[in-house]
Amino acid sequence: MSVRLLSAFAAAFTLAVLTSTGMAQPAGEMFRGKEVAVLIGGAPGGGADVYTRLFARHYGRFLPGNPSVVAKNVLGAGGLKLANQLYNVSPKDGTEIGTFLTTTALEPLFGNKEARFETTKFTWIGNMLDTDATACVTWKTSGIKTWQDLKARETTFGASGSSSLTSIQTKIMGELLGVRTKVINGYQGGLRMSNLAMQRGELDATCGIYIVTLRTQLIDQVRNGDLIVWMTFGAERDRAFPDVPTIYDVVKDEADRELAQLIFGQDVLSRPLTAPPGVTPERAAALRAAFMATMADVAFQDEANKAGLEIHAMDGAETQRRYQAFYAMPKSVVERAKKVIGREAE
């Protein structure tokens, strides 16, 4: 189906959803005169920031009443501050929605008492990218070119905080590969800070870097050999790095594979968006329908293509189901993960 045809279909679907709720006329006024804030639980210039600001520039055209939409960064605790805010403080009328990493969304599963929310009770709106796996990288001066090079030494990895994607994926990777890792927290600002730290020799490596970032923002460093990709975490080898193994190529047994799936399987929810719990069904339907219409919009797609951003949208219902599936994982797998990332005593 062409993008234009898909866009027309999405617009018709939006109207059908709103009409079916008996709100065809009121829906047209639902957000009129309002400002919808799209809150970003990540630093300016990072992947979440770039994707979400692109989304915010187009979303308002598909919301009933065509409200203004503004994107705002809410920093703190790797997105946990924003998750708590959306769940407990934000208005439940759809005027505040947000995005934060799935590692943050699943903090309650791993026993973090600072996560004051229930993941599956959020009003999940959709997910912009369902195929973005992550990777581990080093700078050319580190002496690390393959994951086997980690066996002979303790390797330092950068992370923004203990609950961050970079920290959790590094620790689980070390467990699965049987190598010694030392995570150094405090590298805020996404990959930029840890990348500079690797260049200065402060760090050996960084994990949890989205492959789409390597294909776009960092492609020159990869091509000239400055930045070395030595492990990916997707279910299959990435087409851009066919010679680089995935974690699933080297896991030892089914128990390791289940642990890998619990942690790295989160990458299918790379760019999720949510509203607070308790949003009315009519407003939830409007938010979700507008999301899918935005994803199919020609202007949105064109801008994404020019920026080198891949879009593989997942609707709100499927996004919700994926989060529920993580909570259905065997308790033994979750407990092992908690022990590895240092949560067993919390």
Side-chain angles (χ1 to χ4, degrees):
M1 184 181 292
S2 70
V3 171
R4 293 185 184 277
L5 184 59
L6 185 57
S7 180
F9 174 80
F13 174 75
T14 303
L15 179 61
V17 168
L18 297 175
T19 303
S20 69
T21 62
M23 294 188 61
Q25 183 59 38
E29 305 299 320
M30 189 180 291
F31 295 103
R32 190 172 301 282
K34 305 285 187 180
E35 179 181 274
V36 174
V38 185
L39 308 179
I40 308 165
D49 185 71
V50 172
Y51 266 89
T52 308
R53 289 184 181 276
L54 166 65
F55 169 74
R57 287 193 289 273
H58 296 269
Y59 191 45
R61 291 188 286 117
F62 300 99
L63 285 169
N66 304 121
S68 61
V69 177
V70 295
K72 302 177 182 179
N73 298 87
V74 178
L75 303 182
L80 195 59
K81 178 181 178 180
L82 173 56
N84 285 332
Q85 175 181 318
L86 279 170
Y87 195 88
N88 299 290
V89 180
S90 292
K92 302 181 187 304
D93 60 359
T95 57
E96 280 191 6
I97 64 176
T99 182
F100 42 86
L101 291 174
T102 291
T103 50
T104 302
L106 295 180
E107 282 296 295
L109 178 64
F110 295 106
N112 187 347
K113 292 182 173 58
E114 295 302 313
R116 297 184 295 275
F117 56 84
E118 293 185 44
T119 312
T120 57
K121 289 187 177 181
F122 275 110
T123 305
W124 293 102
I125 297 169
N127 173 35
M128 287 187 278
L129 187 58
D130 67 357
T131 58
D132 196 12
T134 49
C136 294
V137 299
T138 51
W139 197 250
K140 62 182 179 182
T141 55
S142 69
I144 298 172
K145 294 184 178 180
T146 70
W147 74 267
Q148 289 91 341
D149 294 330
L150 276 63
K151 293 181 177 181
R153 58 192 279 188
E154 180 181 67
T155 308
T156 57
F157 291 79
S160 58
S162 60
S163 297
S164 68
L165 178 77
T166 44
S167 174
I168 291 172
Q169 290 201 348
T170 296
K171 291 177 180 179
I172 297 297
M173 179 274 300
E175 166 77 2
L176 293 173
L177 299 183
V179 297
R180 292 176 295 155
T181 63
K182 180 180 180 180
V183 177
I184 302 177
N185 295 317
Y187 289 93
Q188 304 291 339
L191 176 60
R192 185 176 67 87
M193 295 304 296
S194 57
N195 195 357
L196 291 173
M198 288 190 294
Q199 295 179 40
R200 294 192 297 262
E202 295 175 12
L203 298 172
D204 294 318
T206 303
C207 289
I209 307 306
Y210 284 105
I211 292 177
V212 69
T213 301
L214 296 171
R215 293 201 210 107
T216 54
Q217 299 176 40
L218 300 174
I219 188 61
D220 289 340
Q221 293 183 2
V222 173
R223 284 174 175 168
N224 63 25
D226 288 337
L227 198 63
I228 299 170
V229 183
W230 46 267
M231 176 66 68
T232 63
F233 297 135
E236 299 177 352
R237 295 194 181 198
D238 190 84
R239 66 181 186 277
F241 306 103
D243 297 327
V244 178
T246 77
I247 193 71
Y248 298 98
D249 289 331
V250 295
V251 290
K252 306 181 186 77
D253 53 35
E254 186 58 29
D256 284 352
R257 182 169 291 276
E258 287 182 324
L259 179 61
Q261 182 58 34
L262 173 62
I263 301 302
F264 305 119
Q266 297 174 27
D267 288 343
V268 298
L269 293 164
S270 299
R271 304 296 176 205
L273 282 144
T274 190
V279 175
T280 65
E282 294 79 13
R283 287 182 181 266
L287 293 170
R288 286 178 167 185
F291 171 83
M292 291 304 292
T294 303
M295 295 297 100
D297 179 60
V298 174
F300 171 81
Q301 290 277 351
D302 285 347
E303 188 175 351
N305 289 335
K306 289 176 183 177
L309 302 178
E310 296 183 17
I311 303 295
H312 300 283
M314 179 188 296
D315 66 26
E318 178 63 13
T319 303
Q320 182 90 26
R321 189 191 70 77
R322 294 294 183 107
Y323 279 114
Q324 291 170 340
F326 284 114
Y327 280 84
M329 292 288 286
K331 183 178 179 180
S332 60
V333 179
V334 176
E335 291 302 316
R336 182 184 178 193
K338 288 169 64 175
K339 182 177 180 180
V340 173
I341 64 180
R343 300 287 177 78
E344 70 276 12
E346 293 186 7

